Amino acid sequence: MAKQQQSQIEELLETLTDFTSKENWDKFFRIRGSDDSFEWYAEWPELKELMLSELRSLNDAAPDSLQILVPGCGNSKLSEHLYDAGFHCITNIDFSKIVISDMLRRNVRERPAMRWRVMDMTCMQFTENMFDALVDKGGLDALMEPGHGENLGNQYLTEVKRVLKTGGKFVCLTLAESHVLGLLLPKFRFGWKMAVHVIPQKQSGKPGLLTFMVVAEKKDPSLVHQMTLSFTQSSFGHSDKQVNGLFEEVNNENKVRMHYSDGSDILLSLKDLQLGAKGGLQNLIPGRRITLMLGDEGSRFSYKAVLLDAHQDSEICFTCHCGIMLVPKSRANGWLYSSEEGQWNVVQSARAARLIMVFLECFPVTVSMDDIQKDLSPLVKQLAPAVTEYGTRIPFMMVEDAITERKIVHQVSSPLTGTIVIDDVVYTDADNDISEILGSKDLRFRRLIFQRNDLLVQSEALLIVERMASDADNSPKANKKHNSKKRGSLKSKQSKGNEGIFHDYLVSPYHSGIISGFMLITSYLESMASTGNPVRTVVLGLGAGLIPMFLHQCLPCSLVEAVELDPVIVNLARDYFGFCEDGCLKVHVTDGIGFIKGAANDRQAKAIDILIIDVDSDDPSSGLSCPASSFVEETFLHNARASMSNQGLFVVNLVSRSASIKAAVILRMKSIFNHLYSLQIEKDVNEIIFALKTEDCLAEDKFPGAAHQLEKLLTCREPKMREAIIDASKKLKYLG
């Protein structure tokens, strides 16, 4: 008899070598029999209070109406205890036909409403949103044996999320080992409210491993909640490795969740989306926009992308359920592809129910477009919606490269700015107005690029070949201006590369937008010009020196000062963009913050009449591309106001893709300046904010007259340039 019992014990122990094996479990239950229940982890007396509290809090519904699923039920009495506590709608599943048959026989008379089904918990045969609660007692831990990896556990948790109703709870009893929590916590990161409880141990039992109850409640998939614990780490002593490990995992997870909660335009990964961030990928959600990074261990490259689900418009006839648009680097920073408004315009024209815009930023020259499409195909297939109403084909669309020719003229590394590139380019769609000005369609542009800020094109100028420059300088208009003793002789300085910069035309629309705001103080400018008093204009951020040079030439009453921290940039402006100083134009190589603070405290110096802030940010995490955040903080804004004349104009080039950050900057400026105006540059991410110190403001009905005054003040040699500035002035809006 003893030998038989010993043999059974040995057989039983053999079945515990692999918890994922159906054959092992069948053998286990055959040996133990139906009457010998086996309880993994805690027993009912210790579980009862917490378990009933969690289930009874569900939707204020009566216990007997709640649909409860117990996966991997085995021959535990947990379901029986729940049934006896009033929860009658319980479905139990297990992949062992032996144990399901035994449990059915054991309960059919006393608990007739309880259901028993042979089913694999990693592939459930239930419809979506079917259960109010799912109670797991060691099931996840059994699937997550260290030697088997995460596959089975991942499949199981995916099914849990699918079959639970919104507002439903997943109650998981676990030993909370690190490899289990490493899957469980991220899997329920997006749209789930999670809490962790510790199950009391038996009073008379020996201290052993603790059992924890992890509860995940299904909420809004767009929200990320912090995890909570109902107990403190200190209550178990700092030497408890199991508790310390749990707290470490939860704290790390909460840091990640805080990171996702803070950023509205944060880059998600494909895994984040598959975990439920921003809602499921299977369904189209009209108006949904997600920024993400594509790339995994199986792909060669990483890609920044934007997923957009088209707005439902009865007038749009979609031609595909999902389309991929490849955007070359030269187009990535343009308004159409970098701003939300522009991207939605692209979606409308693409006629795709879901459009995935992929930005091709940095690739070796040896990589072909075929290579990129092959690399992308398996990634984008995972992002396609399940709808087949518009067909299953996923077409690739390529945005035409804006640049047909590119020549790197110079590259240098600055300790302050990082890598700076100067290149000459030819565009496919250059402005016809510029062609008319130069009388040539062979237009070339010189760009100043800061690589630290998404390859930001900081400045862009029109190049003029030596012959054209000579013709322009010998024209009657040019001679008249160049012979002016008051302004000195300041023709476009020949830049390196045997080409000159055409300073009579501002290529960047935001540059002409900045000048257009001068109409807000045209009465003051006229009075200064008529009395021969100079208008002190300070530009923080030299860049290529294009605005200072233009103002020097086209606003005769101006005394222009540029402030630039980086001497490397000053030299580049001189050597490659024709920037040069004289008595009415000078540059200060110093910190702009300190310069304005000094000007605010210097009562002897002339007050600043026009202060322009055009400084790019070296900290992308601030949410501002321009200016650096320190230039819109209260301390600086107060100093800026104090440095200005009573009729002065404060101008900020504001670039941010976050509406909330823009709103915060504008609100701060409103608290310091009396009146604010805005100019949103069309088809660009730049918004120019103008602020007045004076209590008097220019009403919008006075704009046409002020624009006419500005037109008379500007001495632009090119009428097209004057027209562009005046056209921009008509789009200014009063902010209060």
Side-chain angles (χ1 to χ4, degrees):
M1 187 71 174
K3 286 185 178 181
Q4 186 179 359
Q5 286 180 335
Q6 181 64 31
S7 176
Q8 283 186 338
I9 291 171
E10 289 176 0
E11 258 191 295
L12 197 61
L13 290 173
E14 285 178 10
T15 67
L16 302 179
T17 56
D18 182 0
F19 291 125
T20 64
S21 167
K22 177 181 176 296
E23 291 73 21
N24 279 2
W25 282 113
D26 281 342
K27 189 175 181 181
F28 175 87
F29 292 124
R30 192 182 297 113
I31 294 169
R32 290 192 65 92
S34 61
D35 296 326
D36 190 5
S37 296
F38 187 84
E39 298 295 342
W40 293 98
Y41 307 161
E43 298 193 23
W44 182 246
E46 290 73 50
L47 284 175
K48 181 178 178 180
E49 184 178 351
L50 267 174
M51 182 69 73
L52 295 183
S53 174
E54 288 292 346
L55 296 180
R56 285 171 178 164
S57 66
L58 278 165
N59 304 323
D60 297 324
D64 61 354
S65 66
L66 291 175
Q67 294 291 334
I68 298 175
L69 176 65
V70 181
C73 60
N75 63 1
S76 167
K77 291 185 177 180
L78 176 61
S79 299
E80 297 169 0
H81 290 304
L82 289 174
Y83 190 97
D84 295 343
F87 299 95
H88 293 167
C89 298
I90 299 176
T91 301
N92 302 274
I93 65 171
D94 200 294
F95 65 0
S96 172
K97 185 177 180 180
I98 292 173
V99 78
I100 289 295
S101 299
D102 287 345
M103 294 300 285
L104 178 60
R105 281 194 297 269
R106 192 167 93 185
N107 288 281
V108 68
R109 292 184 179 177
E110 294 183 25
R111 301 173 184 89
M114 191 141 61
R115 293 180 290 275
W116 303 88
R117 294 186 62 178
V118 178
M119 191 182 297
D120 185 347
M121 61 199 289
T122 66
C123 185
M124 301 183 199
Q125 297 158 24
F126 299 117
T127 58
E128 294 182 8
N129 308 312
M130 184 171 176
F131 295 98
D132 297 289
L134 193 150
V135 180
D136 176 330
K137 192 180 181 194
L140 177 62
D141 286 11
L143 293 174
M144 291 286 293
E145 282 197 277
H148 289 273
E150 294 185 349
N151 285 344
L152 291 175
N154 189 47
Q155 292 171 27
Y156 167 54
L157 294 181
T158 299
E159 288 291 87
V160 169
K161 294 169 71 172
R162 184 181 67 82
V163 301
L164 268 178
K165 299 176 183 176
T166 299
K169 289 183 179 180
F170 174 45
V171 182
C172 180
L173 296 166
T174 173
L175 296 180
E177 294 176 279
S178 61
H179 68 283
V180 175
L181 295 179
L183 174 69
L184 177 61
L185 305 191
K187 191 76 174 178
F188 291 87
R189 179 177 294 157
F190 300 99
W192 294 79
K193 192 174 181 180
M194 297 187 75
V196 184
H197 311 286
V198 63
I199 305 301
Q201 292 186 308
K202 284 184 178 181
Q203 294 290 337
S204 58
K206 293 181 180 180
L209 288 175
L210 294 166
T211 299
F212 298 94
M213 179 185 287
V214 179
V215 182
E217 187 175 359
K218 194 173 186 178
K219 295 288 189 180
D220 184 342
S222 65
L223 299 178
V224 179
H225 301 273
Q226 287 286 288
M227 291 186 64
T228 60
L229 297 102
S230 63
F231 55 97
T232 62
Q233 191 171 2
S234 59
S235 60
F236 290 90
H238 294 290
S239 61
D240 192 310
K241 291 184 179 180
Q242 191 184 12
V243 173
N244 291 343
L246 169 67
F247 269 83
E248 183 179 355
E249 294 287 341
V250 171
N251 288 337
N252 289 338
E253 176 63 19
N254 275 337
K255 288 177 184 176
V256 175
R257 293 182 181 218
M258 180 65 72
H259 176 64
Y260 283 112
S261 300
D262 286 346
S264 58
D265 204 27
I266 195 167
L267 284 174
L268 298 170
S269 67
L270 180 57
K271 184 178 179 181
D272 290 332
L273 296 178
Q274 290 168 337
L275 290 174
K278 305 292 185 180
L281 289 172
Q282 296 295 304
N283 300 321
L284 291 166
I285 302 178
R288 174 169 58 176
R289 177 182 177 274
I290 303 170
T291 56
L292 66 150
M293 286 298 296
L294 285 175
D296 55 29
E297 294 178 359
S299 56
R300 293 175 61 188
F301 310 110
S302 293
Y303 311 83
K304 182 180 176 182
V306 179
L307 181 149
L308 302 116
D309 283 349
H311 295 283
Q312 293 299 316
D313 190 331
S314 57
E315 296 181 3
I316 297 178
C317 180
F318 296 121
T319 57
C320 62
H321 74 305
C322 184
I324 313 302
M325 182 164 286
L326 305 179
V327 182
K329 182 170 64 175
S330 63
R331 293 275 188 167
N333 287 316
W335 173 84
L336 201 58
Y337 303 103
S338 67
S339 69
E340 286 192 41
E341 185 181 354
Q343 289 169 359
W344 286 119
N345 284 345
V346 174
V347 172
Q348 192 169 12
S349 62
R351 296 186 177 277
R354 172 174 292 168
L355 182 67
I356 301 165
M357 206 175 283
V358 181
F359 298 93
L360 309 179
E361 293 180 338
C362 296
F363 291 93
V365 293
T366 54
V367 176
S368 69
M369 199 54 60
D370 285 342
D371 292 334
I372 291 173
Q373 289 193 25
K374 287 177 183 176
D375 192 51
L376 270 173
S377 290
L379 298 174
V380 296
K381 282 179 181 178
Q382 299 176 69
L383 293 171
V387 295
T388 56
E389 181 181 346
Y390 314 109
T392 57
R393 186 177 65 92
I394 304 178
F396 277 82
M397 297 167 268
M398 182 69 193
V399 177
E400 184 182 15
D401 199 327
I403 297 172
T404 58
E405 290 182 38
R406 181 177 186 242
K407 174 187 175 184
I408 295 179
V409 177
H410 186 67
Q411 182 168 325
V412 65
S413 181
S414 162
L416 294 175
T417 309
T419 302
I420 305 170
V421 176
I422 296 171
D423 64 6
D424 291 350
V425 298
V426 176
Y427 291 115
T428 55
D429 53 355
D431 194 331
N432 288 330
D433 285 348
I434 305 176
S435 298
E436 291 178 20
I437 291 170
L438 295 183
S440 171
K441 291 187 177 180
D442 182 20
L443 301 178
R444 296 179 181 273
F445 299 85
R446 177 158 292 176
R447 308 187 304 174
L448 178 68
I449 300 171
F450 296 168
Q451 288 197 339
R452 71 184 182 190
N453 196 348
D454 287 335
L455 301 176
L456 172 74
V457 178
Q458 204 283 339
S459 300
E460 187 167 22
L462 179 61
L463 276 175
I464 181 168
V465 297
E466 188 175 357
R467 180 185 57 79
M468 290 183 181
S470 176
D471 291 346
D473 291 339
N474 290 324
S475 68
K477 286 184 180 180
N479 287 331
K480 184 177 179 181
K481 299 299 178 189
H482 292 162
N483 291 334
S484 171
K485 292 181 181 179
K486 182 177 180 182
R487 303 298 294 169
S489 179
L490 185 68
K491 59 186 179 180
S492 296
K493 178 183 175 183
Q494 193 76 9
S495 62
K496 292 185 178 180
N498 201 35
E499 290 169 314
I501 301 297
F502 193 59
H503 284 293
D504 297 325
Y505 195 89
L506 294 171
V507 174
S508 299
Y510 91 87
H511 280 169
S512 53
I514 286 174
I515 310 300
S516 73
F518 289 14
M519 79 164 187
L520 297 169
I521 58 168
T522 46
S523 295
Y524 177 67
L525 295 177
E526 278 188 339
S527 67
M528 295 291 280
S530 63
T531 57
N533 289 316
V535 175
R536 187 184 180 193
T537 303
V538 174
V539 182
L540 298 191
L542 175 67
L546 303 178
I547 284 186
M549 288 288 286
F550 182 84
L551 289 174
H552 181 274
Q553 292 186 177
C554 299
L555 196 63
C557 58
S558 63
L559 177 65
V560 184
E561 300 170 61
V563 181
E564 175 56 55
L565 179 62
D566 193 344
V568 174
I569 291 177
V570 176
N571 290 332
L572 292 175
R574 289 169 177 158
D575 293 342
Y576 294 92
F577 291 89
F579 176 75
C580 56
E581 302 163 72
D582 68 3
C584 296
L585 172 59
K586 58 185 176 181
V587 62
H588 305 277
V589 182
T590 188
D591 169 46
I593 301 284
F595 182 88
I596 294 302
K597 183 178 180 180
N601 295 323
D602 188 354
R603 302 302 177 191
Q604 303 301 316
K606 179 178 173 14
I608 299 171
D609 297 305
I610 301 173
L611 177 54
I612 300 170
I613 313 299
D614 188 20
V615 184
D616 83 299
S617 172
D618 61 355
D619 179 19
S621 66
S622 69
L624 284 168
S625 297
C626 184
S629 59
S630 54
F631 288 89
V632 287
E633 290 176 355
E634 279 194 31
T635 301
F636 175 79
L637 294 175
H638 279 295
N639 284 333
R641 190 181 192 280
S643 71
M644 293 165 55
S645 62
N646 290 332
Q647 301 297 318
L649 176 67
F650 181 63
V651 187
V652 177
N653 175 30
L654 183 60
V655 182
S656 175
R657 292 184 174 88
S658 169
S660 60
I661 290 175
K662 279 186 176 182
V665 171
I666 291 171
L667 187 63
R668 196 177 307 138
M669 290 180 66
K670 278 185 177 181
S671 70
I672 295 169
F673 291 91
N674 290 325
H675 303 285
L676 257 63
Y677 299 79
S678 166
L679 173 64
Q680 177 62 60
I681 303 302
E682 187 177 352
K683 295 185 178 181
D684 211 336
V685 292
N686 303 69
E687 183 176 2
I688 315 299
I689 307 298
F690 304 94
L692 296 177
K693 182 177 178 179
T694 179
E695 292 185 4
D696 300 325
C697 74
L698 185 69
E700 290 190 0
D701 61 348
K702 303 293 184 183
F703 282 7
H708 181 65
Q709 284 179 283
L710 179 61
E711 189 174 9
K712 290 193 296 181
L713 278 172
L714 293 172
T715 58
C716 304
R717 289 189 292 181
E718 294 301 336
K720 294 286 186 183
M721 187 71 256
R722 189 185 294 109
E723 287 175 22
I725 292 170
I726 301 308
D727 285 346
S729 71
K730 296 174 184 177
K731 298 169 185 175
L732 262 71
K733 292 183 179 180
Y734 182 60
L735 298 180

